[in-house]
Amino acid sequence: MCAGWMEEMQNDGLGGRDLPGPGLYLHFPWCVKKCPYCDFNSHPLAGSLDEEGYVRALIRDFQANAAGRSFATVFLGGGTPSLFSPAAIGKLLDAVRPQLEKGAEITLEANPGTLERGAFAGYRQAGVNRLSIGAQSFSNPMLARLGRIHSAAAVDSAVAEARAAGFDNINLDLMYALPEQSVEEALADLQRAIALQPEHLSWYQLTIEPKTEFARRPPPTPAEDLIISMEEEGRALLADAGFARYEVSAYARAGARCRHNLVYWTFGDYVGLGAGAAGKHTLAGPSSVLGPSGSVIRTGKPRQPRLYLQNPTRSASSSIASEELPGEFMMNALRLVGGLERASFTARTGLPWASVEATWAQTTELGLTEPERIAATDFGYRHLDRLLQFFL
Ligand SMILES: C[S@@+](CC[C@H](N)C(=O)[O-])C[C@H]1O[C@@H](n2cnc3c(N)ncnc32)[C@H](O)[C@@H]1O
Ligand code: SF4
């Protein structure tokens, strides 16, 4: 698995110091209603949406906190960005555009239940060149159980409309291990998604997140052995259909990996703007050698839309202690099926490889990691949580 991956990484320019990024994340914190499984910073929309006010705030935030930077990727995520009209998204992207690299990937998350006719053509015209459509399942009773505001047919028409609008880079979000789901049902969902021929599939195991409706009233989720069968058979189905798994939950056709998410998984820098958005940036030291500590900074914005709107340029920031950097780096990099070159560790953390060498040797000895490359073995990948414990 590694050789092919390395070749693709090199073709994609992801080897060593030539790592992707930086990215720009823009958060849209409202949804029509809150799904019972979701712990993202999303708030049910009460009353009408002041899209102009929010876009104005995002632009102020951008001007204050992203000045002088250029971006290789933009991700408009939520919440539900597709609640915003193409005109509002266009205005925002017009403000951002002067700071985008040529050929920047610009993704918008879309909920099939929010799309007005012609919306995709409008987003395309506004500059969006990648769509991430929240399908979740193709079973109408299951969609109802998940509190979704759309049917399976709405997902089909969203994809058809996106294609008609000229989108050639589409992701579908799908979940499995859903309440009382059988292996056959999970595979049928995947087959429906594959039949729509997206370039990318995010296939997430449903997790019961604290403080969600599902945590308060847990639904009966499938037994562990059924989940394992879903994963084994589902991955085979995806591979047969030409989707290569490149991260725990991400599958792509050749050349269609999500460049923005690769920024996170390679521990790259990104500016996060909008209510509750997180960011990360690295302070470069002399001759691009980073200082021993305090050189990687995390930023955060107020989660409540009301508070954010009161003062959109305010950001909290704190530095990651140097002893936490190896764990933070590995938590991301080891999610990548083929991992990264060793040089990436120093490029991203400023620490010498020697700082993790002994731990790495120990995990390699146990058969969890590759000797030469920052990558889990097949065995290590199946026990990723255990492997990460060594670095945390
Ligand atoms: C921010 S949501 C995005 C998109 C859009 N709001 C929608 O729902 O259509 C990103 C994706 O994370 C996944 N997700 C959210 N909560 C999850 C959970 N508890 N377990 C597994 N996947 C989850 C869903 O597939 C969802 O589409
Ligand atoms: S899953 Fe998507 S639509 Fe549902 S509450 Fe979360 S962000 Fe909103």
Side-chain angles (χ1 to χ4, degrees), residues 37 136-137 146 173-178 181 189 203-204 206:
Y37 54 86
Q136 321 307 353
S137 170
L146 295 173
D173 278 346
L174 207 61
M175 297 191 291
Y176 66 95
L178 299 173
Q181 191 178 44
D189 272 353
W203 192 44
Y204 301 110
L206 173 73

Side-chain angles (χ1 to χ4, degrees), residues 132-368:
S132 178
I133 299 174
Q136 321 307 353
S137 170
F138 287 86
S139 145
N140 285 331
M142 190 63 87
L143 286 168
R145 204 156 179 190
L146 295 173
R148 299 295 293 179
I149 56 167
H150 57 84
S151 61
V155 180
D156 293 339
S157 21
V159 174
E161 284 194 30
R163 291 291 187 217
F167 281 99
D168 59 4
N169 198 357
I170 298 177
N171 167 60
L172 292 179
D173 278 346
L174 207 61
M175 297 191 291
Y176 66 95
L178 299 173
E180 290 178 281
Q181 191 178 44
S182 66
V183 176
E184 293 69 29
E185 285 166 337
L187 298 178
D189 272 353
L190 262 186
Q191 263 149 348
R192 284 282 298 271
I194 290 168
L196 289 172
Q197 300 189 298
E199 281 68 33
H200 192 287
L201 265 166
S202 298
W203 192 44
Y204 301 110
Q205 176 178 347
L206 173 73
T207 51
I208 305 298
E209 302 291 346
K211 296 191 190 150
T212 57
E213 188 51 37
F214 273 3
R216 280 185 285 276
R217 259 174 283 199
T221 44
E224 199 52 39
D225 58 329
L226 294 185
I227 296 178
I228 291 170
S229 300
M230 287 176 194
E231 289 173 343
E232 285 175 354
E233 294 177 41
R235 282 176 201 145
L237 207 64
L238 284 160
D240 285 347
F243 289 91
R245 186 185 191 199
Y246 68 102
E247 188 266 350
V248 175
S249 311
Y251 299 78
R253 291 191 185 283
R257 287 179 292 167
C258 176
R259 280 156 52 198
H260 184 82
N261 285 341
L262 282 168
V263 175
Y264 303 141
W265 297 324
T266 59
F267 202 51
D269 281 2
Y270 53 97
V271 170
L273 308 176
K280 163 184 174 281
H281 68 270
T282 309
L283 305 174
S287 65
S288 87
V289 176
L290 309 176
S293 70
S295 46
V296 182
I297 313 287
R298 287 223 181 272
T299 63
K301 313 287 297 181
R303 282 175 66 83
Q304 278 299 329
R306 188 176 49 80
L307 294 180
Y308 173 74
L309 283 162
Q310 279 168 11
N311 191 354
T313 60
R314 187 167 60 111
S315 290
S317 62
S318 58
S319 63
I320 306 179
S322 60
E323 56 273 21
E324 286 173 19
L325 283 173
E328 296 258 346
F329 174 89
M330 294 299 175
M331 225 163 35
N332 288 288
L334 291 176
R335 294 181 69 89
L336 290 168
V337 172
L340 291 170
E341 287 176 12
R342 271 198 185 175
S344 310
F345 178 77
T346 302
R348 290 304 209 202
T349 64
L351 301 171
W353 178 254
S355 60
V356 284
E357 182 127 48
T359 314
W360 193 266
Q362 200 186 349
T363 57
T364 303
E365 185 79 6
L366 291 167
L368 293 163

